[in-house]
Amino acid sequence: NSGKGFITHVDSRKFWISGQPGNVWVCDDIPESRDWAARNSASVKTKSQAQTIVTDIIDAAKENGVSDLYLASSSEVYQTPENIPTPETERLIVPDPMNPRFSYGGGKILWELLGINFGRKYFNKVVIYRPHNVYGPDMGWEHVLPQFALRMNKLSKESKSDEIDFPIVGSGNETRSFIYIDDFVDGIMILTEKANNLNIYNIGTMN
């Protein structure tokens, strides 16, 4: 998803990339013979957008002879998982279809269903991967870790005490797993070499 970050380095693979609905392109000049398609969109907020984008991806991939389709889903498909650490077999759920909060996860469930079922007929390989809270230097400022740092910086400058009152949501006992972008990319590269057709993979950390 280049909408919130920056494309600074791409090599070793031929990527087929999609933008917003009606804005699809193919990057042909990356040297290596194996074709594969990849797509992630953190900006998809509604199921209708999700359906339009993933069907555009599948249609364009078929038209361009792309053989391997790698679709980025999300840990949002679990919402509140029943098991932690969370296996790929965890049930998928939309707790309340009337709550727009769950439209992103619902859209990603739709991506998985369409990718897997179209994949049975039109692609040599379809792989679903679920990133878990990727962070890095080009992520922008509208995410948990940079927001935390910005808030702490602001409070520390304003505070006249050695102790800082840092308001949080929840009890403070909640946990969340993050993965650094370099480790995430390593995970993607492992998938391109070892992932099995019509399989789903979590990419995250255990801590």
Side-chain angles (χ1 to χ4, degrees), residues 147-194:
Q147 283 292 312
F148 189 100
L150 288 173
R151 288 177 59 200
M152 180 58 77
N153 182 57
K154 182 175 184 294
L155 290 170
S156 65
K157 289 181 178 179
E158 295 173 349
S159 177
K160 298 179 181 179
S161 169
D162 292 337
E163 295 184 1
I164 297 174
D165 183 15
F166 192 92
I168 62 171
V169 176
S171 67
N173 295 318
E174 295 83 5
T175 62
R176 189 171 184 179
S177 176
F178 292 88
I179 183 171
Y180 188 64
I181 182 62
D182 290 354
D183 299 321
F184 173 70
V185 171
D186 288 342
I188 293 291
M189 294 298 101
I190 291 172
L191 285 185
T192 66
E193 301 298 335
K194 298 184 177 181

Side-chain angles (χ1 to χ4, degrees), residues 98-115:
M98 303 302 293
N99 186 340
R101 163 68 180 83
F102 301 117
S103 62
Y104 177 76
K108 287 299 189 179
I109 292 173
L110 179 63
W111 276 50
E112 293 193 15
L113 290 171
L114 289 172

Side-chain angles (χ1 to χ4, degrees), residues 58-80:
I58 291 169
D59 289 344
K62 288 159 52 182
E63 293 172 4
N64 286 275
V66 173
S67 61
D68 297 350
L69 179 65
Y70 290 74
L71 283 177
S73 184
S74 170
S75 57
E76 289 283 324
V77 298
Y78 308 129
Q79 296 305 321
T80 303

